[in-house]
């Protein structure tokens, strides 16, 4: 569930790491879902559809909403994100929801001040981090993807280049590895009580939700 950033990030993952970001040794399995031009309003509909034939994931990474920035009122978008993240927590109470910061763009393809859109992006990210944390989840920042490094973007100045995608994937990998290695001790005793041989210890990251770019 996401946009073309999924296509490029997934291809880069297969080239540099693996589809599962080399986290298979932790029992982690990542499924990538993409949709070109995805906007935030697609999130609940897409997740509800996935839940009709897939079990809830252990972790859900949300990287969607950037396509709303030029056209949607900031307050309206923030309220919608808050409501929907809380709804996801109701639908999937055992799922750990992670907000992935919307990354900057060198070109928003709209006749609006890039400074105005950048302030809006930062405000939405602050809100997304807070809401996901309050819902019991966490967030991922992408501090190394910045305006002053044009080489991180493709010629359209919107999508990430190979180097940009490698950095993006590294952020995701680090976050997921930190989550599962810090969580494993918490879950081990409970799982061993259910299965003394440890056959249920494998943890599954079923979905990575992304919708950053057009």
């Amino acid at each position: 569930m996401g946009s073309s950033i999924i296509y490029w990030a997934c291809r880069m993952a297969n080239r540099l790491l693996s589809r599962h970001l080399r986290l298979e040794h932790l029992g982690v399995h990542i499924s990538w879902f993409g949709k070109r031009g995805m906007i935030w309003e697609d999130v609940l509909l897409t997740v509800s559809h996935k839940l009709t034939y897939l079990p809830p994931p252990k972790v859900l990474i949300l990287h969607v909403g950037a396509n709303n920035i030029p056209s949607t009122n900031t307050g309206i978008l923030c309220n919608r994100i808050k409501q929907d993240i809380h709804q996801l927590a109701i639908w999937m109470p055992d799922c750990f929801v992670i907000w992935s910061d919307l990354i900057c763009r060198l070109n928003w393809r709209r006749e609006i001040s890039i400074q105005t859109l950048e302030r809006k992006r930062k405000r939405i990210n602050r809100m997304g981090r807070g809401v996901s944390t309050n819902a019991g989840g966490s967030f991922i920042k992408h501090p190394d993807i910045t305006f002053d490094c044009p080489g991180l973007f493709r010629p359209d100045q919107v999508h990430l280049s190979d180097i940009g995608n490698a950095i993006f994937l590294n952020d995701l990998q680090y976050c997921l590895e930190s989550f599962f290695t810090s969580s494993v001790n918490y879950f081990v005793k409970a799982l061993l009580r259910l299965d003394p041989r440890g056959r249920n210890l494998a943890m599954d990251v079923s979905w990575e939700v992304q919708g950053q770019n057009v």
Side-chain angles (χ1 to χ4, degrees):
M1 185 171 78
S3 65
S4 51
I5 195 172
I6 295 278
Y7 174 78
W8 295 110
C10 188
R11 285 190 62 177
M12 183 61 65
N14 287 325
R15 285 168 53 191
L16 294 183
L17 302 165
S18 72
R19 181 180 182 85
H20 308 294
L21 302 181
R22 289 187 180 171
L23 299 175
E24 297 91 333
H25 66 287
L26 296 176
V28 174
H29 301 282
I30 301 175
S31 295
W32 304 73
F33 295 97
K35 176 183 174 182
R36 291 181 64 86
M38 184 178 182
I39 58 177
W40 183 268
E41 288 78 3
D42 297 325
V43 170
L44 286 189
L45 182 62
T46 305
V47 172
S48 64
H49 175 65
K50 299 297 181 186
L51 288 174
T52 62
Y53 63 90
L54 289 173
K58 289 284 191 268
V59 174
L60 177 65
I61 297 179
L62 291 168
H63 190 84
V64 56
N67 288 327
N68 291 87
I69 289 178
S71 58
T72 307
N73 175 272
T74 306
I76 293 174
L77 180 57
C78 287
N79 287 333
R80 181 66 182 267
I81 291 172
K82 291 177 185 177
Q83 293 171 4
D84 290 354
I85 289 179
H86 286 304
Q87 184 61 53
L88 291 173
I90 293 172
W91 286 353
M92 303 179 293
D94 297 323
C95 177
F96 193 80
V97 177
I98 298 176
W99 171 269
S100 174
D101 270 2
L102 307 178
I103 59 176
C104 63
R105 296 181 180 183
L106 303 183
N107 180 5
W108 287 90
R109 297 175 177 172
R110 286 293 185 97
E111 293 182 0
I112 304 174
S113 165
I114 193 169
Q115 290 80 12
T116 298
L117 296 176
E118 183 64 7
R119 286 195 297 269
K120 188 172 182 178
R121 180 185 71 89
K122 290 179 178 179
R123 178 181 169 186
I124 294 168
N125 280 335
R126 287 194 298 270
M127 181 278 309
R129 294 174 208 145
V131 173
S132 59
T133 301
N134 290 338
S138 187
F139 57 86
I140 305 173
K141 292 184 177 183
H142 306 288
D144 297 319
I145 300 176
T146 60
F147 289 105
D148 56 355
C149 294
L152 300 181
F153 298 86
R154 300 179 72 82
D156 63 8
Q157 299 183 319
V158 174
H159 300 88
L160 294 174
S161 66
D162 285 353
I163 296 174
N165 271 311
I167 294 172
F168 183 83
L169 289 171
N170 184 69
D171 293 339
L172 300 183
Q173 182 192 46
Y174 178 80
C175 175
L176 290 172
E177 186 171 24
S178 298
F179 172 76
F180 282 106
T181 54
S182 63
S183 298
V184 68
N185 290 330
Y186 178 82
F187 288 112
V188 160
K189 291 184 179 179
L191 289 171
L192 285 176
R193 285 198 297 270
L194 297 175
D195 187 346
R197 296 184 179 180
R199 289 172 295 183
N200 291 326
L201 290 180
M203 290 176 264
D204 179 37
V205 183
S206 296
W207 306 346
E208 178 171 321
V209 180
Q210 309 222 0
Q212 172 66 27
N213 298 317
V214 178

